[in-house]
């Protein structure tokens, strides 16, 4: 069979060229190898999409927790301010 990279008109790296990486194609790449690499990339993309959804959920939960903590701080500040104002009135300040 004609290598898929050659059929696609891709040039092969010359002697002493960069090493072949898992994501690069050599001139001898067959259609079966291309299909395998494509499936591997699809699997990676699917895993990344799952991780992104998980991260979005985590971010959403963190934002909710932050909002709750900010509300608690506001409430405690109000209580401290009210207590402080009451103490000043009692002592005639």
């Amino acid at each position: 069979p004609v290598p898929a990279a050659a059929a696609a008109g891709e040039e092969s790296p010359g002697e002493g060229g960069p090493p072949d990486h898992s994501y690069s194609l050599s001139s001898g790449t067959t259609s079966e190898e291309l299909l395998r690499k494509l499936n591997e990339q699809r699997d990676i993309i699917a895993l990344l999409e799952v991780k992104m959804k998980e991260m979005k959920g985590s971010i959403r939960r963190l934002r909710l927790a932050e909002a709750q903590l900010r509300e608690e701080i506001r409430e405690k500040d109000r209580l401290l301010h009210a207590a402080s104002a009451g103490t000043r009135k009692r002592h005639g300040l």
Side-chain angles (χ1 to χ4, degrees):
V2 175
E10 295 180 16
E11 295 180 29
S12 63
E15 289 289 333
D20 189 30
H21 296 286
S22 64
Y23 53 82
S24 66
L25 301 174
S26 66
S27 61
T29 305
T30 64
S31 56
E32 290 84 13
E33 290 170 322
L34 280 174
L35 185 59
R36 180 182 51 79
K37 287 184 180 194
L38 177 64
N39 286 331
E40 288 173 359
Q41 290 176 349
R42 285 181 178 163
D43 290 345
I44 290 168
I45 289 169
L47 288 172
L48 289 172
E49 287 174 345
V50 168
K51 284 293 179 192
M52 280 180 25
K53 285 180 183 178
E54 289 173 359
M55 289 174 66
K56 284 180 180 179
S58 295
I59 290 169
R60 195 175 306 115
R61 286 189 299 277
L62 287 169
R63 285 183 176 156
L64 286 171
E66 179 188 22
Q68 290 171 339
L69 288 170
R70 287 184 185 275
E71 183 55 38
E72 287 178 25
I73 289 170
R74 278 193 292 273
E75 182 61 28
K76 288 180 181 181
D77 282 347
R78 280 189 288 255
L79 292 172
L80 283 172
H81 182 70
S84 173
T87 302
R88 279 188 260 149
K89 283 183 183 178
R90 273 187 261 138
H91 294 306
L93 297 175

